[in-house]
Amino acid sequence: MREHLIKTRKSVARGLLTVVLLAGSVVALAAIELNRLSTPELSSRYKQLIQEYRCPKCQNQNLADSDSPISIDLRREIRRMLEEGKSDREISDYLVARYGEFVLYRPRLQHSTYLLWLGPLLLLLIGAVIVVLVIRRQARPIQAQEEISQAALNPAEKARLQDLLAEPNASASIAKGDNASQYGSDSSP
Amino acid sequence: MARIKLFIPLFIFLVLAVLLYWGLGRDPSAMPSALVGKSVPAFKLPALADETSMLDASLFQGQVSLLNVWATWCPSCRVEHPFLMELAKQGVPIIGLDYKDERDKALAWLADYGDPYKQVIFDPQGTLGLDLGVFGAPETYLVDAEGRIHFKRVGVVDARVWEQDFAPRYQALLDGETPVADPNDR
């Protein structure tokens, strides 16, 4: 039992060490590149920009995550343009001119991407319309049933129904009266 | 009406099935080049064979040509090489772009396997590659006599790709050459 515990502790410690070392290496890698920028503002813009562009070679990674040669080149180009004082728009124009709209993880709003941007909204609207239709459909049969049951009563019955609905203790008095007529006749000779 | 509604799930299923089937057949790595329809970007780079002679985009003026991006570190380029030799033999002008490579190795490669190129641009930093939107060798561009890019292929060009994608466009450009220069001659 005790040996088992020690073993578990050892493996936990080893796991933690691995995690810490790995995390350290990532931080170090990021820091090396960030240090190459002259101001903290540029560094933070750089950090954000490389998240938003896709590596052309490894298609499911952004420039920040990818270590392929082309991503390293593109990161270097982005750093260069940032130092030259280029705007975010100019940088994305530069990349789009070479690698196409494909590199943008946040596509621009234009006629080819209307469906992409507005599609979810459209689906939401369609869903809302369906919900409204279903609710209306469910509400209608209850009304219709009431109308039908009322139509089946003759005028006297209708009047009595109105009375019953209007008087709060109507049901109690009816019950009493019914009892009297039913049992009273039997008990009194 | 109620009957038709019963078929809505089937209809949705069919639409999805068609879309997904169509998606299966597509090559996810195939991307349209942003440069198709534009000119080869301006550059000033040395020739591979002679570092003192500088080349620029005028290299692509005057003849329909292929621009082939290659490097000695690229195994697929080795696969592609024999077919480029064949094309060169057929008289197709090929301009090479030696991309992020070392001069000695590249020269040794051409000496060993043969040189299909009319001229090779030496681009050790990958600057022209970056302007072309190259993200991996080999890549092959079809360039017209005015230096405009008409088609781009990422990956190996072999006989099948040539017949299917390049040959018709290449022939059309060759046939169109005179009419573009002189519209009355058509």
Side-chain angles (χ1 to χ4, degrees):
Chain A
M1 184 66 195
R2 199 173 200 178
E3 276 172 25
H4 180 72
L5 257 180
I6 293 171
K7 243 187 204 168
T8 328
R9 269 193 205 154
K10 261 191 186 165
S11 67
V12 165
R14 203 175 295 151
L16 272 176
L17 186 68
T18 314
V19 167
V20 168
L21 284 178
L22 279 176
S25 71
V26 169
V27 170
L29 195 72
I32 289 168
E33 286 201 336
L34 284 177
N35 284 343
R36 293 191 197 150
L37 284 149
S38 52
T39 69
E41 289 87 65
L42 287 183
S43 294
S44 72
R45 268 177 68 201
Y46 172 64
K47 234 195 284 183
Q48 177 158 19
L49 282 177
I50 58 177
Q51 304 271 351
E52 282 185 17
Y53 299 121
R54 189 200 299 229
C55 162
K57 182 71 190 169
C58 28
Q59 304 197 340
N60 292 318
Q61 281 185 306
N62 58 23
L63 290 184
D65 288 339
S66 164
D67 236 353
S68 72
I70 185 67
S71 291
I72 294 170
D73 284 358
L74 288 179
R75 286 203 297 266
R76 190 192 61 223
E77 284 300 301
I78 290 174
R79 282 198 301 275
R80 181 181 60 76
M81 286 187 278
L82 282 171
E83 292 291 356
E84 284 172 6
K86 296 268 169 66
S87 71
D88 290 2
R89 178 71 193 200
E90 282 171 312
I91 292 174
S92 77
D93 281 346
Y94 173 92
L95 290 171
V96 167
R98 283 157 183 77
Y99 296 95
E101 299 283 335
F102 172 85
V103 294
L104 303 176
Y105 261 132
R106 194 202 303 247
R108 291 170 178 170
L109 187 60
Q110 56 195 24
H111 62 87
S112 62
T113 58
Y114 280 155
L115 192 63
L116 189 67
W117 279 104
L118 304 179
L121 205 66
L122 196 71
L123 287 178
L124 191 70
L125 276 178
I126 292 174
V129 167
I130 290 175
V131 166
V132 167
L133 285 180
V134 166
I135 288 177
R136 274 202 181 165
R137 165 116 11 120
Q138 282 180 344
R140 201 175 304 144
I142 296 171
Q143 266 185 352
Q145 269 177 6
E146 276 176 5
E147 278 163 19
I148 289 166
S149 56
Q150 290 220 6
L153 299 174
N154 63 37
E157 285 168 331
K158 266 189 197 167
R160 194 159 168 238
L161 182 63
Q162 290 304 319
D163 285 348
L164 288 174
L165 290 173
E167 280 177 54
N169 53 355
S171 55
S173 67
I174 289 169
K176 237 186 243 166
D178 274 353
N179 277 349
S181 63
Q182 232 180 339
Y183 303 110
S185 58
D186 280 351
S187 57
S188 62
Chain B
M1 185 60 198
R3 278 272 172 85
I4 295 174
K5 268 188 207 157
L6 287 177
F7 288 96
I8 288 179
L10 178 68
F11 178 70
I12 293 175
F13 167 75
L14 285 178
V15 169
L16 269 181
V18 167
L19 277 178
L20 293 175
Y21 184 77
W22 176 71
L24 269 184
R26 282 162 54 94
D27 177 7
S29 64
M31 293 191 299
S33 170
L35 266 86
V36 166
K38 294 184 194 158
S39 297
V40 174
F43 65 93
K44 202 156 186 57
L45 289 166
L48 176 68
D50 174 13
E51 55 187 315
T52 56
S53 98
M54 295 301 275
L55 303 172
D56 59 34
S58 66
L59 200 58
F60 296 97
Q61 300 288 330
Q63 89 278 3
V64 181
S65 58
L66 294 182
L67 169 58
N68 178 246
V69 181
W70 66 285
T72 55
W73 45 260
C74 148
S76 313
C77 299
R78 180 73 193 89
V79 174
E80 184 182 56
H81 191 266
F83 187 70
L84 294 180
M85 292 298 289
E86 179 127 330
L87 281 180
K89 216 182 285 171
Q90 288 173 22
V92 178
I94 309 174
I95 310 283
L97 173 62
D98 190 21
Y99 174 63
K100 291 187 156 192
D101 207 353
E102 291 161 43
R103 192 184 291 271
D104 299 344
K105 282 189 188 169
L107 287 171
W109 163 296
L110 293 181
D112 288 351
Y113 305 130
D115 183 355
Y117 303 109
K118 275 190 67 183
Q119 187 62 268
V120 179
I121 308 160
F122 184 56
D123 186 12
Q125 305 296 322
T127 50
L128 177 55
L130 204 66
D131 284 343
L132 277 168
V134 170
F135 55 83
E139 290 190 12
T140 304
Y141 300 73
L142 178 61
V143 183
D144 72 10
E146 273 88 49
R148 269 193 310 271
I149 296 168
H150 280 254
F151 184 72
K152 171 186 180 179
R153 158 90 186 172
V154 178
V156 172
V157 174
D158 54 19
R160 193 181 59 83
V161 172
W162 174 260
E163 285 306 323
Q164 199 177 313
D165 293 334
F166 281 92
R169 292 182 171 91
Y170 179 71
Q171 200 52 47
L173 284 179
L174 282 186
D175 296 345
E177 246 178 352
T178 335
V180 167
D182 185 4
N184 300 325
D185 211 34
R186 208 167 288 211

